[in-house]
Amino acid sequence: MHRVTNRKWWKEGVVYQIYPRSFQDSTGNGIGDLRGIVERLDYIKSLGIDIIWLNPVYASPNDDNGYDIADYRGIMPEFGTMEDFDLLLAGIRERGLKLVMDLVVNHSSDEHNWFLESRKSRNSAYRDYYHWWPAEKGTPPKRWSYFDVEGDAWNYDERTDAYYLHSFSEKQPDLKWENPKVRKEVYDIMKFWFDKGVDGFRMDVISFISKDTDYPELPSEYEGDFVSFYSNGPKLHEYLHEMHTEVLDRYDVMTVGEAPGIGLDKALDFVDEDRKELNMFFHFDLMALDREEKEVFLMRKDKWKLSEFKKIHSDWDAAFAQKGWGSMFLNNHDFPRSVSRWGDDSEANWHHSATMLQTFLLTMRGTPYFYYGEEIGMTNIEFDRISEYRDINTLNRYQTLKREGGDLEAFLLNEKDASRDNARTPMQWDGSKNAGFSKQRPWLRVNGNHTNGINVASQENDPNSVLNHFRKMVHIRKQHLGLIYGSYRLLQQNNEDIYAYTRTLDRERYLVILGFTDKKSTIVLGEIEFDRADLLISNDGHRAHTGGNVFELMPYQACVYVLR
Ligand code: GLC
């Protein structure tokens, strides 16, 4: 008998994230849509995943591809109608899958009715739904904004001679959570979707929602680090707890917060079950690993080290070893493709590094999140020209640099590795012109390597494909509770070629050995005892174990053993 207490479907499930704009176009306008996802539900089911997370599908002027919502209860016309949504939800249910939506409530669109009303007059009933700074008080204290060309989070609005706050683009005004009416609106929106049957929310930049409405100058301890300041608002946990009491407590749903600025020391504040806030959150430590310090969109000059990669994962595993639960991801719609970033997408190493990374995510503790296309090893597109980009983040930073007379060439080089559009290119279904994504020219260029084996159709029937390794690995995780709940022990922190660890649940014991190098490598595991290491799966026909404690790996080989 296993001693797992507190089992939960969202701990045992594998999540598959879909960026709807890029998954499947059913209407022929070059933009993915809800009916397109419906058409692909059997494929999604065939992956063995349990939970679909859908990026925003709500009505939006698309300044930031749906992260600027104009109607929280309406579907974006480009994606379809509410009938299409209901059809999708029914199809998901029929297949025994669950659906998690994106909740974007740090800010709305400036085209949301609340903001249209709020900006009309200082006496508007909706004035206090947003953060306003009256101009007669002078220039507001500096706040930094992600997508603002001038990096200024305050935008002057002539109509009422005041500034409003926008931590992201000027079309994404921050909602004022300090106003109880705003919180009630949010809770009602959540109930609306839960009552429809949705199974949870991924909460966009949830760590930013609370603000000090005296708007002080940036306190000196946050010098140069607005993100930490934003994620440390005075009432953040009060609001999350209230949300739990008012809404979450009444439903069997899952919640995962996006939490930039939250480090290990604050981790349990969000997910300690006794606090009744969230189930999981995404930290940014891994996403920052290959970036300049506090510059999340700038690639760092030297290469990241495997020992650093291990430390991040080991520290975060430890943070949730007794309480709370982690979330594991290697990429998403904001970061480049995992195989290009943490593996090696060259022809020689693409297959092994893609499958090695899948093996990693599926043998760690914490819920694994895969991003559409990761199951077939989709890679970065690496655009050459600014005209090929669609993302506001790249486009506006380019404008900023241009104004400042900065080095545009260096910027474009950086974006080849760092840009969010790398991960937003259309899903590669087959080797045809638009990769089976659309009959029309897609909104963002398809990666040319869809004709070269990186597509579903050509991998479907190849038992050794990246796709079928993914399916096998998902199945293996499901069959072995120890891979989900077992404790994690890192072996040989300082080895820069191999990541090795054990997972243990009672008498069940697994050894995972992952090659993170394009060369053959060897590890001698003196620190653990076992009689036999039985291979459970490898991404290479070649069996690594040569006997005793010595394990030899081919480049990017991944092996999972049962230890006896
Ligand atoms: C989150 C989203 C990102 C979006 C931003 C503003 O970081 O993941 O895509 O641009 O919030 O909503």
Side-chain angles (χ1 to χ4, degrees):
M1 266 302 284
H2 289 298
R3 283 177 294 120
V4 181
T5 52
N6 209 2
R7 287 182 64 170
K8 291 274 190 278
W9 60 265
W10 46 265
K11 294 182 179 174
E12 298 181 17
V14 175
V15 181
Y16 186 71
Q17 179 190 349
I18 295 179
Y19 199 65
R21 182 164 287 271
S22 300
F23 198 62
Q24 177 68 62
D25 171 18
S26 74
T27 59
N29 65 353
I31 295 172
D33 48 53
L34 297 179
R35 292 234 172 208
I37 303 173
V38 172
E39 286 172 14
R40 298 295 186 177
L41 279 175
D42 286 334
Y43 168 77
I44 296 169
K45 175 71 183 173
S46 82
L47 298 174
I49 64 97
D50 309 274
I51 302 160
I52 296 173
W53 154 25
L54 215 51
N55 285 103
V57 295
Y58 316 97
S60 162
N62 279 312
D63 191 48
D64 184 20
N65 284 1
Y67 280 94
D68 45 323
I69 297 173
D71 176 3
Y72 288 93
R73 293 180 179 80
I75 298 295
M76 187 189 307
E78 280 177 335
F79 289 171
T81 61
M82 192 55 94
E83 283 73 54
D84 297 332
F85 178 83
D86 291 339
L87 192 72
L88 174 62
L89 186 57
I92 288 173
R93 283 267 164 283
E94 255 166 49
R95 289 166 181 81
L97 302 173
K98 297 197 184 268
L99 178 64
V100 165
M101 305 273 284
D102 225 299
L103 184 72
V104 189
V105 287
N106 172 68
H107 44 268
S108 71
S109 162
D110 66 340
E111 296 181 35
H112 193 293
N113 203 36
W114 297 334
F115 191 75
L116 296 177
E117 288 299 322
S118 185
R119 82 190 317 179
K120 272 187 190 159
S121 102
R122 290 190 179 191
N123 300 322
S124 155
Y126 289 90
R127 187 65 170 179
D128 218 25
Y129 270 46
Y130 296 87
H131 298 270
W132 289 99
W133 175 275
E136 63 272 18
K137 282 172 71 179
T139 321
K142 168 84 184 143
R143 290 292 180 270
W144 172 80
S145 152
Y146 275 88
F147 305 146
D148 189 81
V149 178
E150 286 160 37
D152 183 358
W154 290 107
N155 199 43
Y156 179 69
D157 206 40
E158 226 163 64
R159 188 105 136 242
T160 56
D161 190 30
Y163 298 82
Y164 67 85
L165 185 72
H166 60 93
S167 304
F168 293 88
S169 92
E170 60 181 54
K171 286 185 67 61
Q172 294 170 295
D174 285 42
L175 283 160
K176 191 169 176 186
W177 276 67
E178 289 65 32
N179 179 353
K181 283 192 197 148
V182 167
R183 303 205 298 277
K184 172 140 193 336
E185 298 270 15
V186 171
Y187 304 153
D188 287 348
I189 291 165
M190 294 173 74
K191 287 179 200 157
F192 171 82
W193 290 101
F194 286 150
D195 290 340
K196 255 188 175 297
V198 160
D199 301 291
F201 282 113
R202 174 268 187 188
M203 301 181 181
D204 193 61
V205 283
I206 201 70
S207 51
F208 285 13
I209 56 177
S210 159
K211 277 129 195 152
D212 181 342
T213 49
D214 289 337
Y215 311 109
E217 292 294 339
L218 182 71
S220 57
E221 70 259 38
Y222 294 106
E223 191 57 47
D225 185 8
F226 274 100
V227 174
S228 299
F229 174 62
Y230 289 166
S231 60
N232 215 0
K235 296 202 167 156
L236 170 59
H237 292 287
E238 191 180 309
Y239 298 156
L240 291 178
H241 182 69
E242 182 184 82
M243 179 197 277
H244 193 284
T245 315
E246 294 294 318
V247 189
L248 299 171
D249 216 19
R250 306 176 193 181
Y251 302 87
D252 176 22
V253 290
M254 97 170 213
T255 51
V256 53
E258 187 203 26
I262 300 302
L264 287 159
D265 55 327
K266 302 225 166 66
L268 283 179
D269 295 351
F270 291 79
V271 296
D272 175 344
E273 294 83 358
D274 297 334
R275 291 174 56 94
K276 297 192 180 303
E277 296 189 15
L278 303 179
N279 299 140
M280 295 171 271
F281 70 90
F282 299 122
H283 68 76
F284 276 66
D285 285 3
L286 181 69
M287 295 299 113
L289 174 59
D290 60 353
R291 304 301 165 91
E292 289 293 342
E293 210 168 327
K294 308 217 164 80
E295 293 279 0
V296 75
F297 299 117
L298 274 192
M299 301 307 293
R300 86 185 215 198
K301 303 280 173 301
D302 55 331
K303 195 182 163 350
W304 59 276
K305 291 205 192 77
L306 182 59
S307 53
E308 299 169 321
F309 185 95
K310 292 181 199 179
K311 183 167 178 354
I312 290 169
H313 288 105
S314 304
D315 287 351
W316 280 94
D317 179 83
F320 304 127
Q322 306 303 328
K323 293 187 133 189
W325 189 252
S327 48
M328 295 288 303
F329 69 104
L330 294 172
N331 55 188
N332 62 32
H333 63 291
D334 292 330
F335 291 95
R337 289 279 174 187
S338 60
V339 63
S340 303
R341 190 176 184 192
W342 310 116
D344 174 350
D345 62 13
S346 71
E347 204 161 324
N349 295 314
W350 165 76
H351 180 280
H352 280 67
S353 61
T355 48
M356 183 276 289
L357 292 167
Q358 294 172 347
T359 310
F360 167 63
L361 226 57
L362 288 163
T363 52
M364 288 291 283
R365 181 157 52 179
T367 299
Y369 291 75
F370 287 91
Y371 183 58
Y372 84 93
E374 196 171 3
E375 75 277 21
I376 56 167
M378 276 175 62
T379 66
N380 286 351
I381 190 157
E382 300 192 7
F383 288 131
D384 288 317
R385 287 180 296 278
I386 191 68
S387 58
E388 300 209 79
Y389 285 98
R390 298 288 172 270
D391 179 18
I392 182 173
N393 184 33
T394 298
L395 298 176
N396 284 12
R397 281 167 47 239
Y398 184 87
Q399 285 312 322
T400 306
L401 210 63
K402 208 168 159 185
R403 277 174 173 221
E404 294 168 351
D407 187 345
L408 295 174
E409 230 170 273
F411 175 79
L412 287 177
L413 212 58
N414 181 75
E415 293 305 281
K416 280 192 176 192
D417 289 324
S419 87
R420 309 198 296 180
D421 277 344
N422 268 319
R424 296 179 176 183
T425 61
M427 177 66 179
Q428 294 167 207
W429 295 105
D430 58 40
S432 70
K433 182 147 180 267
N434 297 319
F437 164 72
S438 173
K439 294 197 176 63
Q440 274 303 315
R441 191 173 147 171
W443 71 279
L444 185 67
R445 184 152 68 83
V446 175
N447 194 316
N449 61 20
H450 73 282
T451 58
N452 199 18
I454 308 189
N455 71 65
V456 173
S458 68
Q459 294 187 25
E460 190 64 63
N461 298 317
D462 170 4
N464 296 318
S465 64
V466 174
L467 172 60
N468 282 317
H469 179 82
F470 179 77
R471 287 178 171 138
K472 276 182 241 164
M473 234 0 272
V474 169
H475 185 71
I476 283 180
R477 184 177 177 90
K478 297 283 173 57
Q479 298 302 302
H480 300 85
L481 214 57
L483 289 176
I484 298 172
Y485 291 106
S487 61
Y488 158 95
R489 177 181 165 197
L490 173 66
L491 308 170
Q492 302 189 11
Q493 155 69 27
N494 295 325
N495 187 320
E496 296 290 357
D497 294 328
I498 294 178
Y499 190 170
Y501 49 91
T502 57
R503 301 289 314 281
T504 307
L505 184 68
D506 301 326
R507 306 173 104 178
E508 224 179 299
R509 200 155 54 116
Y510 306 91
L511 170 65
V512 182
I513 307 188
L514 308 169
F516 270 80
T517 167
D518 57 3
K519 299 183 191 61
K520 285 188 185 175
S521 55
T522 303
I523 188 167
V524 185
L525 292 174
E527 62 268 67
I528 49 168
E529 284 184 13
F530 55 91
D531 293 330
R532 261 176 38 217
D534 294 335
L535 188 70
L536 196 55
I537 188 169
S538 165
N539 65 348
D540 190 308
H542 176 91
R543 187 173 184 276
H545 194 211
T546 53
N549 284 325
V550 184
F551 293 80
E552 285 175 0
L553 294 187
M554 300 300 281
Y556 291 105
Q557 189 172 359
C559 295
V560 184
Y561 298 94
V562 180
L563 295 182
R564 304 192 200 269

